[in-house]
Amino acid sequence: MVSAKTKEMVTARRPASLRTLLCFFCLVTCAERASGQTRRDERIYPENFTRILDRLLDGYDNRLRPGFGGPVTEVKTDIYVTSFGPVSDVEMEYTMDVFFRQTWVDRRLMYEGPIEILRLNNLMVTKVWTPDTFFRNGKKSVAHNMTAPNKLFRIMKNGTILYTMRLTISAECPMKLVDFPMDGHACPLKFGSYAYPKTEMIYTWTKGPKHSVEVPPESSSLVQYDLIGQTVSSETIKSITGEYVVMSVFFHLKRKMGYFMIQTYIPCIMTVILSQVSFWINKESVPARTVFGITTVLTMTTLSISARHSLPKVSYATAMDWFIAVCFAFVFSALIEFAAVNYFTNAQIERAKKKPAKCPPVPQTTPVKVKDTEEVLQQNPDTNGNLRKRMNYISHQEPSSHPRAQSTTNISGVGRARPLRPFASGANGSSSTLSRSSPKSESLLSVASSSAQLVKCVPLAAASTPDVMVGTPCKPNTPSLQHLLGPKLERIQMMGNKLELKQTPCSQPTTSGMGGTSKIDKYARILFPVSFGAFNMVYWVVYLSKDTMVAKGG
C-alpha cells in the first residue's frame, strides 16, 4: 500500500515540472524576438528619419495657432540671465543678455518613434508655428546669429515644443531720482503677445513665480549698482484690439555710494571747511580772505556742474542737489561775512576820523604879572621916568592879540631884538611847541623880551606914546640897568619856558586800537561749524535710514 501511493505522487510531480520548463522556454523565445525587432528598428531609423519629419509637416499650416478655434494656447516661459548690465542713468535704460525659453503644446506635431525627443536646428523653426512674443518696454533687442542663429528647437512625442533663443535686450528703466545717490530702482522687463489676446493665448511661468527667472551671482556686471533680487508678476492690459496678458520681471537695484562720496560729498565738505578757515585770519588781511572766499565759491560751482553730468536733466532736486546747494550757501555766506566785517571796520575808522581832537585841560597856574619888574623899578628909579613909562605901555598891550605884541616888540628893538617865536624856540628846542603855547605864556614871554630890550637900550628922548618909541634910537651903554634887571628878567623867562613845557600836544584819533578780531568773526567761528555739523547729521540720518527701494511686483 505504501509503495503504491509513493509511485502516484512521483507521477503527479513530473507533469508540473514539465509545464514550468515549457513556460520558461517560451519567455526566452519572446524576449529574443523583441530584441531582434528593436535591432531591426534601430537599423531602420536613420533611413526613416526624413520620412518621419515629412509626415509631421504633411498638411501642417504654420499660420494657425495650436488648437485654433478651440481651447486657449498656453505658453510657458522662463528666463536665464547670462549677463546683467550696464545701467545708464542718463538714458534711463539697462542692458542684459538672456536665454529666453518658451514651451507650448502643438498636437499636430505628435509622433510615434523610437526616441522621445527630436532635437532639431533653427531651420525647423520657420516651418512651424511659434508665439509672436515681443518686449513691450524694450528699446532694442538683438537675436544673436554668430556663427549660426542661436536658437534651440525640440519636439517631444506628445507634441510639446521647446523653443529657446539667446537675446540681448535694452529695456527702459523709469527712475525716480529724488533720493539720488541713496536711491534704489526696480527695472522692469515686460513681454507678451503682439497679436493674440488673452482669449486665444496666455502666458504662464514654467517653474512658478519664484524660480522662473534665474540670475547667477557671476552674471551681474554692474559698477554703480548692487542687484538685490528680482520679482515676477503678470497683468492684463486693455487696448482697442482687446485684452492682452503681459508678463513682468522686476530687477531690484541698489546704488553704490562709494563713487559719489569720493567725487562729490567729501570735496564739498572739505571746501566748506576751507571757507570757514578764513574766520581765523586777521581782518586786516583783505587779500588772503578774499582769495579764500572767491576760490571756495568757484570750487563749489565746479563741483555742482560736474555732479550733474552723470544725471539726466530732471526738473526736480535730488538729494545730492540739496547737499551741494547747502554747501554752496555756507561758502557764499562765509564770503558775505567777510564783506560785512570789512564794511563795519571801515565805517568804524571813518567815524573815528570825524571825531574832534581831544586836548587835555590846561593846568591852572597863577597868572604871572610884572610885579617883579615893578619892584625893580621902585628900587631903581629913573630921573626922567622913561623906564616906568615904557613898562606901563607894554603892560597895557598885554590884552591885545599876539601878532600885535610881536610887532611892537620888534619895532621897539629897531631890528636888533629877536622875534618872540625864535626866542621861545631857542628856549624849548622846538618851534612846534611854541605854536601850541597858551596865551598867558605868550604874554609872559612878551614882557620878558621887551624888558630885555629895555635893559640893552636907553632911549635918547623920553616919549609917552608908541609914535615916539618908533623913531627913538637906543644906546648900548647902560651896564648898570642890565646888571640890576638881569636876574629878574631871567627868572621871568624861565617861568614862561616851564609853562610851554607843561603844555601837552592834543591827542589825535588813531586806528591802532581797531585791529584784531571782529565780533562778527568770533560769532562766525562758532555758528558756522555748529550749523554745518547739525546739517550733516540730519541729512545722513534721514537719507540712510530711509527705505529708498522701489518695491514693485512684490
Side-chain angles (χ1 to χ4, degrees), residues 390-391 394 405 408-409 412 445-455:
R390 183 70 59 88
M391 296 304 298
I394 295 173
T408 306
T409 308
S412 63
L445 289 177
S446 177
V447 172
S449 178
S450 300
S451 302
Q453 298 300 326
L454 291 175
V455 171

Side-chain angles (χ1 to χ4, degrees), residues 57-70:
L57 298 175
D58 187 17
Y60 185 88
D61 189 357
N62 59 358
R63 297 172 297 179
L64 301 177
R65 67 173 180 87
F68 180 77

Side-chain angles (χ1 to χ4, degrees), residues 264-437:
T264 304
Y265 281 99
I266 293 179
C268 287
I269 294 174
M270 298 303 295
T271 303
V272 174
I273 295 174
L274 182 63
S275 68
Q276 296 176 3
V277 171
S278 63
F279 301 152
W280 300 87
I281 300 177
N282 195 355
K283 64 182 179 180
E284 281 78 15
S285 302
V286 176
R289 296 192 65 166
T290 304
V291 168
F292 264 98
I294 298 298
T295 304
T296 51
V297 169
L298 294 178
T299 303
M300 285 302 308
T301 304
T302 304
L303 290 174
S304 176
I305 294 173
S306 63
R308 271 288 182 175
H309 283 319
S310 59
L311 287 177
K313 295 178 175 63
V314 294
S315 59
Y316 50 84
T318 64
M320 180 180 287
D321 292 337
W322 287 116
F323 188 87
I324 294 176
V326 173
C327 291
F328 189 89
F330 272 97
V331 171
F332 190 75
S333 300
L335 181 60
I336 297 299
E337 185 270 348
F338 170 64
V341 169
N342 192 37
Y343 172 78
F344 287 113
T345 301
N346 293 335
Q348 186 178 2
I349 293 174
E350 292 297 329
R351 287 195 299 268
K353 289 181 178 179
K354 292 180 181 179
K355 289 182 179 180
K358 295 181 179 180
C359 297
V362 178
Q364 297 295 330
T365 58
T366 304
V368 180
K369 298 181 180 180
V370 288
K371 180 179 179 181
D372 297 331
T373 306
E374 292 291 334
E375 183 179 348
V376 173
L377 292 176
Q378 290 177 1
Q379 293 176 2
N380 301 282
D382 188 13
T383 56
N384 297 326
N386 292 332
L387 181 61
R388 182 176 297 275
K389 293 178 181 179
R390 183 70 59 88
M391 296 304 298
N392 291 334
Y393 171 75
I394 295 173
S395 300
H396 289 302
Q397 296 297 325
E398 284 184 2
S400 61
S401 60
H402 175 68
R404 178 68 177 269
Q406 183 177 355
S407 177
T408 306
T409 308
N410 292 334
I411 293 172
S412 63
V414 195
R416 292 191 303 170
R418 288 178 298 175
L420 177 62
R421 188 175 299 274
F423 177 79
S425 176
N428 293 334
S430 174
S431 61
S432 61
T433 309
L434 180 60
S435 63
R436 292 187 297 267
S437 60

Side-chain angles (χ1 to χ4, degrees), residues 67-350:
F68 180 77
V72 177
T73 302
E74 180 182 5
V75 180
K76 297 180 180 180
T77 59
D78 64 280
I79 298 173
Y80 184 87
V81 179
T82 58
S83 176
F84 191 93
V87 179
S88 175
D89 296 329
V90 178
E91 301 295 334
M92 289 192 178
E93 66 178 15
Y94 68 99
T95 304
M96 64 178 179
D97 292 342
V98 298
F99 291 142
F100 186 68
R101 304 187 184 111
Q102 300 178 90
T103 304
W104 68 94
V105 176
D106 191 349
R107 300 190 180 278
R108 293 174 295 177
L109 298 178
M110 295 175 65
Y111 68 94
E112 294 292 335
I115 59 176
E116 295 291 334
I117 301 173
L118 292 176
R119 296 174 175 86
L120 308 174
N121 60 10
N122 60 293
L123 298 177
M124 190 66 178
V125 176
T126 59
K127 298 179 181 180
V128 299
W129 179 90
T130 54
D132 59 343
T133 306
F134 81 107
F135 297 95
R136 302 184 73 92
N137 65 326
K139 291 186 175 182
K140 183 179 180 181
S141 300
V142 178
H144 293 265
N145 296 319
M146 295 299 295
T147 59
N150 300 163
K151 297 179 180 179
L152 182 147
F153 192 81
R154 292 178 181 177
I155 302 175
M156 303 176 189
K157 272 187 174 183
N158 58 356
T160 302
I161 298 174
L162 174 64
Y163 179 38
T164 302
M165 296 180 292
R166 182 185 173 218
L167 304 174
T168 297
I169 305 170
S170 295
E172 181 182 3
C173 181
M175 296 181 180
K176 192 70 173 176
L177 299 174
V178 175
D179 299 322
F180 175 86
M182 284 81 69
D183 54 342
H185 305 285
C187 295
L189 178 64
K190 298 181 179 182
F191 61 90
S193 175
Y194 189 83
Y196 295 101
K198 70 176 185 178
T199 56
E200 296 187 17
M201 189 170 66
I202 60 174
Y203 287 86
T204 58
W205 295 107
T206 304
K207 302 176 183 179
K210 294 184 179 180
H211 304 287
S212 294
V213 180
E214 299 181 32
V215 185
E218 63 274 8
S219 65
S220 178
S221 58
L222 297 173
V223 178
Q224 294 188 17
Y225 289 93
D226 288 323
L227 184 60
I228 305 301
Q230 64 277 346
T231 56
V232 298
S233 64
S234 61
E235 57 182 334
T236 301
I237 297 179
K238 295 181 180 180
S239 66
I240 299 176
T241 56
E243 297 182 356
Y244 298 88
V245 175
V246 177
M247 308 299 288
S248 301
V249 184
F250 294 93
F251 298 96
H252 298 279
L253 305 175
K254 180 67 176 178
R255 193 185 302 272
K256 299 176 182 178
M257 286 193 59
Y259 172 81
F260 301 99
M261 288 294 297
I262 296 172
Q263 294 294 325
T264 304
Y265 281 99
I266 293 179
C268 287
I269 294 174
M270 298 303 295
T271 303
V272 174
I273 295 174
L274 182 63
S275 68
Q276 296 176 3
V277 171
S278 63
F279 301 152
W280 300 87
I281 300 177
N282 195 355
K283 64 182 179 180
E284 281 78 15
S285 302
V286 176
R289 296 192 65 166
T290 304
V291 168
F292 264 98
I294 298 298
T295 304
T296 51
V297 169
L298 294 178
T299 303
M300 285 302 308
T301 304
T302 304
L303 290 174
S304 176
I305 294 173
S306 63
R308 271 288 182 175
H309 283 319
S310 59
L311 287 177
K313 295 178 175 63
V314 294
S315 59
Y316 50 84
T318 64
M320 180 180 287
D321 292 337
W322 287 116
F323 188 87
I324 294 176
V326 173
C327 291
F328 189 89
F330 272 97
V331 171
F332 190 75
S333 300
L335 181 60
I336 297 299
E337 185 270 348
F338 170 64
V341 169
N342 192 37
Y343 172 78
F344 287 113
T345 301
N346 293 335
Q348 186 178 2
I349 293 174
E350 292 297 329

